Amino acid sequence: MIVEQSKAILAEVSKAFIGKNEIVKKVLMTIYAGGHILLEDCPGVGKTTLAVAFSKTLGLSSKRIQFTPDTLPSDITGFTVFNRETNHFEYRDGAANCQLLLADEINRTSPKTQSALLEVMEEHTVTVDGETHVLPSPFICIATQNPVGSAGTQSLPESQLDRFMICLSIGYPSLENQMRIINAQRYSNPLSDVRPVTNAQNLLEVQNYLTSVRVADSVLSYTIRLCEATRVHPLVELGISPRGVSALVKMARAGAVLRERNYVVPEDVQSAFFDVCAHRLILRPQAQVDGITARDILAEILQQIKPGTER
């Protein structure tokens, strides 16, 4: 059932987000794993379209907040106002009170506003004036940011980057896919053709099912050794945290389910390794001088550490 449902979701999202099936699949895996997604790419490649298409297809309540330098933390968490009729303070929802939050251009707001998302993403709650409000389940944050140019932007702190399960770059479409995109937009917005094929309850059931997907001790050991290797690499200042290890295991489970297995194999870990880990690494200045990227280091680690071999 999960495989058929997944195929239906992928097909529906692909009506609006054309030509990047692997990206769509990775976003779905992250949602199944209960994680948050950071889409980092230049403007105009479909980041927002992808997020809106998923919100429609999954049948989730969604809100969008466009981050600007004057966006306040209360815009996310909500605020209390005094009601003269009842003589009490009342809580008014913020943008986070939904099941799928699209945080557009997250790096264009202040660090104080960015930090308001930390509790939201980790605890799925918001605290306003000492009172905690639980968000609807499931809660998923899809954030976008433009890595080109620094005017008016604030880099995300490492603690917040670590809370995004994966970071994806969409890239430009091919010539054929650009033709398909333009033709699809000729008479109407393709997003208007996207229909819900599931709902929040079904999504929660899939997320619960993922906990039963088996991870053998040898595969878990392999996963941990890959992440530990980033912590001792000479060109890495800050390696993968235990939260990153947990995210990699969850993504491997989701990948196994989409490949119609109820157990994880090393290939599931390898396929998610770059997207889960690259944005979590902080490189030493020497790596930047030599033009070495986080993905280069992860590729080197994958070559050095093989499944089933101990240190």
Side-chain angles (χ1 to χ4, degrees), residues 216-268:
D217 288 346
S218 58
V219 176
L220 183 58
S221 173
Y222 172 61
T223 305
I224 295 173
R225 286 188 289 116
L226 286 175
C227 295
E228 282 185 337
T230 67
R231 303 170 190 169
V232 297
H233 195 282
L235 294 179
V236 175
E237 182 75 27
L238 184 66
I240 304 304
S241 68
R243 183 188 285 119
V245 178
S246 176
L248 184 54
V249 172
K250 291 177 181 178
M251 281 293 290
R253 281 191 165 113
V257 168
L258 289 188
R259 297 178 183 99
E260 303 184 41
R261 280 186 275 101
N262 63 351
Y263 58 92
V264 174
V265 298
E267 287 74 16
D268 297 321

Side-chain angles (χ1 to χ4, degrees), residues 161-263:
L161 283 174
D162 201 35
R163 282 168 169 80
F164 285 103
M165 185 168 283
I166 65 168
C167 178
L168 297 173
S169 178
I170 295 172
Y172 291 114
S174 65
L175 186 148
E176 292 79 8
N177 286 326
Q178 288 182 72
M179 293 177 64
R180 291 174 57 200
I181 292 170
I182 300 302
N183 287 330
Q185 297 171 345
R186 186 174 180 181
Y187 298 110
S188 63
N189 186 346
L191 281 171
S192 61
D193 298 327
V194 177
R195 299 288 182 266
V197 297
T198 185
N199 54 46
Q201 184 58 40
N202 287 340
L203 187 55
L204 287 172
E205 289 174 1
V206 174
Q207 291 180 350
N208 291 333
Y209 173 76
L210 249 63
T211 61
S212 66
V213 175
R214 299 193 306 275
V215 181
D217 288 346
S218 58
V219 176
L220 183 58
S221 173
Y222 172 61
T223 305
I224 295 173
R225 286 188 289 116
L226 286 175
C227 295
E228 282 185 337
T230 67
R231 303 170 190 169
V232 297
H233 195 282
L235 294 179
V236 175
E237 182 75 27
L238 184 66
I240 304 304
S241 68
R243 183 188 285 119
V245 178
S246 176
L248 184 54
V249 172
K250 291 177 181 178
M251 281 293 290
R253 281 191 165 113
V257 168
L258 289 188
R259 297 178 183 99
E260 303 184 41
R261 280 186 275 101
N262 63 351
Y263 58 92

Side-chain angles (χ1 to χ4, degrees), residues 14 70 81 84 88 95 104 112 128 158 200-201 234 283 295:
S14 296
D70 60 349
V81 294
R84 292 189 176 184
H88 288 90
D104 223 350
K112 184 176 182 179
V128 179
E158 289 76 23
Q201 184 58 40
L283 306 185
R295 286 182 172 262

